[in-house]
Amino acid sequence: NEGIGMSPAQRAACDFFVYIPQHSGATASLNVAIAGSIVLHHFALWAQMPEHARQGEKFVVDQRRTSLDRYTNPNEVEQAEIQRKRAERAAKRKLQEEDGEGAGGTGEGDDDDDD
């Protein structure tokens, strides 16, 4: 927290603290995105994570899978999502059937007569 710091309750909820040294008295805080970036950078160094490939000054980006490829050849994550959605739809259909709202509706207001 800027200025006054964290409250005792906030401090008590923390398992540990990370200190990011500042080398200027111009400000007393860092933007949370910047602070997070610094922490993640140092974690990646500590964990000896390999740097992603670059071509010149740009990082090489993996080619995105097409919708057709995801549909015809889903990976494990995509297959799990498909199964989850199918289960949700089946549960919803079952609830509708139990409530008498089957595919044909309730029968009320089904006619097309306007009189």
Side-chain angles (χ1 to χ4, degrees):
N1 188 331
E2 295 180 18
I4 61 171
M6 297 170 56
S7 71
Q10 290 170 326
R11 291 180 65 84
C14 297
D15 293 329
F16 58 90
F17 298 93
V18 175
Y19 171 74
I20 300 172
Q22 296 188 29
H23 302 280
S24 167
T27 184
S29 67
L30 293 173
N31 175 296
V32 70
I34 299 303
S37 298
I38 293 168
V39 169
L40 290 174
H41 168 74
H42 283 277
F43 173 79
L45 293 175
W46 172 83
Q48 299 179 352
M49 296 174 75
E51 187 177 324
H52 195 72
R54 285 182 297 175
Q55 189 171 28
E57 71 280 356
K58 293 189 170 203
F59 286 100
V60 177
V61 178
D62 297 334
Q63 187 172 357
R64 295 188 65 166
R65 291 167 38 90
T66 65
S67 296
L68 179 60
D69 192 34
R70 288 192 305 270
Y71 177 76
T72 58
N73 187 22
N75 62 30
E76 288 181 25
V77 172
E78 293 161 345
Q79 186 64 40
E81 181 70 7
I82 290 168
Q83 294 301 326
R84 183 188 65 77
K85 287 181 178 181
R86 285 179 180 164
E88 283 179 1
R89 287 192 298 268
K92 185 177 179 180
R93 280 193 303 272
K94 185 176 180 181
L95 279 175
Q96 288 174 341
E97 290 172 2
E98 290 172 358
D99 290 341
E101 298 178 16
T106 60
E108 297 176 14
D110 287 343
D111 60 352
D112 291 328
D113 295 339
D114 290 327
D115 42 52

